[in-house]
Amino acid sequence: MVEIGCIVLKIKKLAEKLTAGSAGLVTSEESILYLTGFQTDNGYLLVTKDNSYFMTDSRYIEAAKQQIKDCEIICGNDLFEVFSDILLSLQIERLFVEATRLNVLTVAKYKERFAPVELVYTDELDCHIKALRKIKSEEEKNKIISAQRIAEQAFLKVLDIIKPGVCERDIAAELEYYMRRGGADGISFDTIVVTGANSSKPHGVPGNTKIALGDFVTIDFGAVYEGYHSDTTRTVAVGNPSDEMRLVYDTVLKAQIAGVDAVKSGMCAKDADAVCRNIIEEAGYGDAFGHGTGHGVGVEIHEAPTISPRSTETLQEGNVITVEPGIYLPGKFGVRIEDMLYVTETGSENLVTLQKELIIL
């Protein structure tokens, strides 16, 4: 069940960022879910300093009225007709929109149909919502944990079918099946299952490649529960790995554990990245780690904060982030290990319970 008080507070916090005579138009599914607790692909949320309005069509209006509190619920098909009247009645002069969701055609239409209201399509509204979404409530944290437990149980079941002769796409299909059977609303992203030389591709696509004895298999997976995502990666070996494979795995594991241990509120995100990256560089594999160390997770699989060498963000208590260093040797193999962490004042709570020591099947 949605914690109504928590949802109402989110909308009020956004309203506090608005000045008299201004309003914010929220259009993205993810931000609407975050702010209202209602999941739909057809809805618009208008927030002013003192009021909020949610509009959807007849397909979703009954559910919206049941689930959304502290908003006026309006049934309609014409966004501009409904909200233009409201903006006029409230004497709204400036309308902030989610700029990252706009294209040129939409901006032109908004300017025409919402006139004479001034349209503000800087990233100001996006930044306000982003700042709110970075800090997870206890309810949000619990939903992410529920998604994670569903994913973990599915992963453990799939380990039984990972053996020579089984192809990547079949393992991915089984993993997704078990996640859905376990209670997932969906999958967090296209499941990654790559084996052998394909495991050197960080975001490789599962295909017809069959597992061979001595291969690494990297599996990056996640479940969605009540709109919230999980994200985990494990690399397992099928048969005994070579000395080089063990060395690379141990290096990634050392870096990942160090990164997890270092995370805490107040830490610069780029410093968290550096903890993992420095270990990998010192082992001689710096060029083989090309992506950032992690990212935020919530109603989107990738959200703030970003943990990378270029990040300017600071970790805060309540962030849910990943720590996922990797080493990728083209034409040979790759290794990635990923956990999700809930950032606390003094450290972090690891939301993943799966073992990180190398699993040999």
Side-chain angles (χ1 to χ4, degrees):
M1 292 294 290
V2 174
E3 290 182 9
I4 300 302
C6 179
I7 293 298
V8 172
L9 184 60
K10 290 173 182 175
I11 294 177
K12 287 184 175 178
K13 283 184 176 180
L14 180 60
E16 289 172 0
K17 301 294 184 179
L18 300 169
T19 57
S22 69
L25 179 62
V26 183
T27 57
S28 68
E29 293 180 40
E30 297 84 8
S31 291
I32 287 173
L33 169 64
Y34 172 79
L35 290 166
T36 70
F38 185 61
Q39 193 165 15
T40 180
D41 61 359
N42 186 289
Y44 301 90
L45 176 66
L46 182 69
V47 179
T48 71
K49 189 73 176 174
D50 301 308
N51 307 93
S52 56
Y53 308 84
F54 180 79
M55 189 199 90
T56 189
D57 64 30
S58 59
R59 295 171 297 170
Y60 305 103
I61 192 67
E62 183 179 1
K65 288 180 177 179
Q66 291 173 344
Q67 295 182 40
I68 300 177
K69 306 300 179 184
D70 205 40
C71 275
E72 181 177 334
I73 312 300
I74 303 168
C75 183
N77 293 299
D78 190 326
L79 159 70
F80 305 102
E81 181 180 299
V82 171
F83 284 160
S84 290
D85 289 343
I86 293 173
L87 295 172
L88 181 63
S89 68
L90 296 177
Q91 298 182 314
I92 298 298
E93 299 173 350
R94 307 180 76 205
L95 179 63
F96 293 84
V97 295
E98 286 187 281
T100 55
R101 308 293 174 152
L102 292 179
N103 55 44
V104 173
L105 290 176
T106 303
V107 169
K109 184 181 292 186
Y110 278 21
K111 281 185 174 181
E112 176 188 357
R113 297 291 303 277
F114 280 130
V117 175
E118 178 190 355
L119 184 69
V120 183
Y121 50 92
T122 64
D123 65 349
E124 189 169 343
L125 181 64
D126 302 76
C127 289
H128 290 326
I129 296 173
K130 174 182 172 182
L132 291 174
R133 280 174 43 180
K134 280 199 298 186
I135 309 300
K136 271 60 179 183
S137 66
E138 192 70 18
E139 178 203 5
E140 291 178 286
K141 173 187 169 185
N142 288 337
K143 288 181 180 181
I144 293 171
I145 291 173
S146 294
Q148 179 62 29
R149 296 297 170 265
I150 290 168
E152 289 182 357
Q153 290 303 310
F155 173 79
L156 293 173
K157 290 179 180 178
V158 164
L159 289 179
D160 292 336
I161 69 168
I162 299 177
K163 59 188 65 176
V166 178
C167 71
E168 297 166 336
R169 69 169 70 244
D170 288 344
I171 295 169
E174 288 291 320
L175 182 54
E176 292 174 7
Y177 167 76
Y178 282 124
M179 284 193 284
R180 290 182 180 275
R181 278 289 303 269
D185 300 332
I187 57 175
S188 294
F189 49 88
D190 291 338
T191 302
I192 298 171
V193 178
V194 281
T195 187
N198 288 340
S199 62
S200 70
K201 305 167 186 175
H203 277 193
V205 177
N208 292 320
T209 301
K210 294 181 178 180
I211 295 170
L213 196 63
D215 276 354
F216 270 149
V217 181
T218 295
I219 304 175
D220 192 344
F221 60 103
V224 180
Y225 180 79
E226 294 189 5
Y228 283 78
H229 297 67
S230 71
D231 191 4
T232 311
T233 306
R234 288 294 184 266
T235 300
V236 302
V238 179
N240 290 321
S242 67
D243 290 344
E244 182 184 26
M245 292 167 72
R246 286 184 179 274
L247 174 61
V248 168
Y249 189 94
D250 289 345
T251 301
V252 174
L253 180 60
K254 180 181 178 182
Q256 205 270 346
I257 291 173
V260 169
D261 289 344
V263 164
K264 64 179 179 179
S265 178
M267 184 180 199
C268 293
K270 66 179 180 181
D271 291 340
D273 175 274
V275 171
C276 297
R277 198 168 301 278
N278 289 344
I279 290 173
I280 290 175
E281 288 177 349
E282 289 168 3
Y285 293 104
D287 292 340
F289 179 24
H291 58 74
T293 291
H295 56 86
V297 181
V299 291
E300 289 187 273
I301 188 58
H302 290 100
E303 57 180 50
T306 298
I307 297 87
S308 77
R310 297 176 298 280
S311 179
T312 59
E313 296 173 273
T314 298
L315 301 182
Q316 298 172 270
E317 186 174 2
N319 291 160
V320 173
I321 63 169
T322 65
V323 174
E324 49 179 304
I327 293 174
Y328 311 93
L329 305 179
K332 299 174 74 173
F333 61 86
V335 173
R336 183 166 66 256
I337 304 170
E338 174 185 21
D339 288 339
M340 281 193 311
L341 310 178
Y342 179 80
V343 180
T344 67
E345 183 179 358
T346 57
S348 68
E349 176 186 346
N350 197 326
L351 305 184
V352 179
T353 65
L354 298 172
Q355 74 171 70
K356 288 186 281 193
E357 293 73 20
L358 180 60
I359 296 173
I360 300 177
L361 302 172

